Amino acid sequence: MTTPLGPGPEFDRIRRIAGELGNSSADLGDDAAVIPDGDGSLVVSTDASVEGVHFRREWLTLEEIGWRAAAAALSDLAAMGARPVGVLAALAVPQSASADDPSLVMRGVGAAAAATGARVIGGDLTAAASWVVTVTVIGRTANPIRRTGARPGDVLWVTGALGGSRAALTAWKRGATPADDARAAFAHPLPRIDAGRWLAEHGAHAMLDLSDGLAADAHHLAAASAVRLDIDLSRVPVAGPAVVPSLAASVEPPIFAAQGGEDYELLVALPDRFAERDIRAFEAATGLALTSVGSVHRGSGVRFLLRGERVSLEGFDHFR
Ligand SMILES: [Mg+2]
């Protein structure tokens, strides 16, 4: 069975692939695949990071390229509430790279793995026209949190703050140097493993990570759970480095933040009994903010509201 995805040309292609695979596929469409194993489950996901698409060589060191690729893949384990166990990395390396360069990329992959309690357990090395770092991650959990479990009456929450990564991208794309905190958000994202596990243990109904931005990813949660989401943009936590570039671009900061991808924060649907006391416990356990941004209703799709007005938002799509 395939979990429904939100709209967009990238996801139309994924739907076609799922149709092509038919009975030779299973369990597509969530952040990661779940394989029952003993009294728990293995959780597996894979993610490609491509030079010229996800990053440019002049923006990042090789170590940062490796960290970022691994962090993006590990973030999908966070979104399932899983504990990372192993990381495999397939490197496509340009002919112009030095003999030491693949090791530098893997230093970053290894650091991201170690930061989440996992180890590098394999990989592949090939020559190519440009850098591609494809990271496969394996985790474990007794209680995987899928995208399908949001229910009418739930409250939507976001970890951390959004828009920092987009702030860096905006600066680079106009030939400027991003502020240090914006650059760090892009180059060194932290997969929210502890937050994902805490939320899984405290009643999360559904969860996903914000890789394409809240504006795009919220649609996946709505589609997967067959519900409507109402998101109040004025409540979206805006990352500090996103404020100045959003105003410079004449975009309201919460809209800039909601449309910024690659923050790798979590969007989670929690039962409405989740209260102030629980928020404080989450913040004490993880060091992260947890902000309510909306609510779950009967119906379909996502309504973005700003000061009571409907706002139409598009997130990032590789094929738009
Ligand atoms: Mg994901």
Side-chain angles (χ1 to χ4, degrees):
M1 204 190 113
T2 298
T3 302
L5 292 160
E10 178 179 348
F11 304 100
D12 291 340
R13 284 158 175 76
I14 295 173
R15 279 183 275 273
R16 286 178 80 133
I17 292 168
E20 175 64 35
L21 289 170
N23 288 337
S24 60
S25 68
D27 206 20
L28 304 178
D30 215 311
D31 290 279
V34 176
I35 304 167
D37 178 58
D39 56 1
S41 294
L42 289 172
V43 180
V44 185
S45 186
T46 193
D47 213 22
S49 188
V50 180
E51 182 180 0
V53 176
H54 296 94
F55 62 89
R56 292 193 198 148
R57 200 44 206 88
E58 58 270 29
W59 295 349
L60 298 175
T61 67
L62 291 170
E63 194 173 338
E64 287 169 338
I65 289 167
W67 171 285
R68 198 167 170 279
L74 288 159
S75 176
D76 283 321
L77 297 185
M80 306 300 289
R83 174 176 59 85
V85 176
V87 171
L88 298 96
L91 302 190
V93 181
Q95 300 285 4
S96 59
S98 81
D100 200 33
D101 285 352
S103 305
L104 294 174
V105 173
M106 288 309 296
R107 183 188 290 172
V109 171
T116 60
R119 290 194 178 188
V120 176
I121 57 171
D124 186 38
L125 191 62
T126 177
S130 56
W131 284 98
V132 182
V133 184
T134 304
V135 179
T136 301
V137 290
I138 302 167
R140 284 198 69 85
T141 178
N143 174 31
I145 308 300
R146 300 179 185 258
R147 298 175 171 187
T148 51
R151 299 167 205 169
D154 285 353
V155 179
L156 291 172
W157 302 77
V158 167
T159 65
L162 308 181
S165 212
R166 184 178 180 191
L169 209 49
T170 302
W172 276 317
K173 287 197 167 166
R174 61 182 175 81
T177 302
D180 287 350
D181 49 2
R183 189 183 184 286
F186 183 92
H188 209 263
L190 299 168
R192 300 307 193 188
I193 302 294
D194 292 346
R197 293 179 70 193
W198 192 97
L199 292 163
E201 286 163 10
H202 290 79
H205 283 164
M207 194 151 60
L208 54 64
D209 69 320
L210 296 174
S211 49
D212 294 335
L214 180 63
D217 290 320
H219 285 281
H220 300 314
L221 191 66
S225 292
V227 292
R228 188 189 91 219
L229 307 183
D230 286 2
I231 293 181
D232 180 354
L233 290 166
S234 66
R235 304 188 64 116
V236 167
V238 179
V243 175
V244 169
S246 66
L247 296 174
S250 301
V251 178
E252 297 218 35
I255 292 180
F256 182 95
Q259 290 186 303
E262 300 180 316
D263 288 315
Y264 301 109
E265 297 293 349
L266 300 175
L267 174 66
V268 57
L270 287 161
D272 70 352
R273 65 174 183 272
F274 197 84
E276 192 61 42
R277 183 183 67 250
D278 302 304
I279 301 167
R280 283 198 302 274
F282 173 87
E283 293 180 351
T286 64
L288 284 175
L290 189 64
T291 309
S292 71
V293 295
S295 49
V296 181
H297 304 268
R298 285 182 208 289
S300 62
V302 184
R303 288 184 186 175
F304 291 100
L305 300 160
L306 186 59
R307 293 182 291 274
E309 300 281 324
R310 286 281 294 276
V311 177
S312 154
L313 289 185
E314 281 192 343
F316 180 77
D317 189 304
H318 275 289
F319 296 92
R320 185 174 278 131

